[in-house]
Amino acid sequence: NNSGAGSLREAVSGSNRIVQFGVSGTIKLTSTLYVTGPNVTIDGFSAPNPGITITGSGSFEVGGNSSGPTTKGSNVVIQGLRFRNVGDDAIRIAFNAHDVVVDHNSFAGSADGEVDVTEGAYNVTVSYNIFSKNKGPGPSLLSYDSSRVSYHHNIYFENVYRNPIVTSSFTRNYSTGQ
């Protein structure tokens, strides 16, 4: 379900969680689902066949703290999910979120990006994903002072632009964390 007891939204609302699925199906997000707690793993591989599909007008946002790095939005893993026809970014990693892995997912038809890494996010790995038939400007944006980001072993299919696109000044000072 989108919300309520036992929903994905409720499962990612805290810290130190491993989210596993006892059923398969489609979760239609009606608003942005925020993953802000540290140490959260969303394990789509745990669902029985045919797995978990995320759709709807909402997106996943792994968000840290806009004023600087904290544990908020850190140590997050998202794996084994399908994202289809999401109304905005399927996954947005932003606001100094860090130590995030997006691995073995598939994305198609998002209205904006499929996985965007922006606004100071760092130590991010986007690997072994399939990005196809994006309806927006393109599947992957890496911008706005994000750094230490690795995109590898991804497949980009029938997208027009941003496969990925990298734009930014990349000015983070790691000795101070800012």
Side-chain angles (χ1 to χ4, degrees):
N1 290 328
N2 174 62
S3 62
S7 69
L8 179 59
R9 189 175 303 275
E10 188 273 330
V12 301
S13 66
S15 303
N16 304 314
R17 297 187 175 190
I18 298 174
V19 179
Q20 295 184 316
F21 298 89
V23 297
S24 62
T26 299
I27 300 170
K28 186 174 183 178
L29 297 178
T30 57
S31 62
T32 299
L33 187 150
Y34 294 97
V35 182
T36 58
N39 308 316
V40 175
T41 296
I42 302 168
D43 181 11
F45 292 124
S46 62
N49 261 343
I52 300 295
T53 300
I54 308 294
T55 189
S57 59
S59 60
F60 268 53
E61 183 170 306
V62 179
N65 185 335
S66 60
S67 62
T70 64
T71 60
K72 188 176 176 184
S74 66
N75 301 317
V76 175
V77 177
I78 301 170
Q79 63 181 8
L81 299 173
R82 285 186 306 274
F83 292 84
R84 298 293 184 268
N85 302 312
V86 175
D88 190 17
D89 296 330
I91 298 176
R92 180 182 304 118
I93 304 165
F95 307 115
N96 295 295
H98 59 93
D99 302 300
V100 178
V101 176
V102 177
D103 181 70
H104 283 89
N105 299 285
S106 67
F107 302 88
S110 290
D112 193 1
E114 307 292 1
V115 176
D116 286 358
V117 181
T118 68
E119 299 169 80
Y122 63 99
N123 295 348
V124 177
T125 300
V126 180
S127 58
Y128 296 96
N129 298 288
I130 299 171
F131 299 97
S132 67
K133 301 181 181 182
N134 178 268
K135 293 179 184 173
S140 298
L141 172 67
L142 171 57
S143 191
Y144 307 112
D145 292 324
S146 297
S147 56
R148 295 186 185 175
V149 179
S150 172
Y151 278 78
H152 65 87
H153 293 88
N154 297 297
I155 296 172
Y156 292 88
F157 177 74
E158 290 189 11
N159 302 297
V160 177
Y161 187 59
R162 292 181 12 180
N163 289 306
I165 188 169
V166 179
T167 65
S168 191
S169 60
F170 303 103
T171 58
R172 179 176 299 282
N173 179 341
Y174 287 96
S175 63
T176 64
Q178 298 182 15

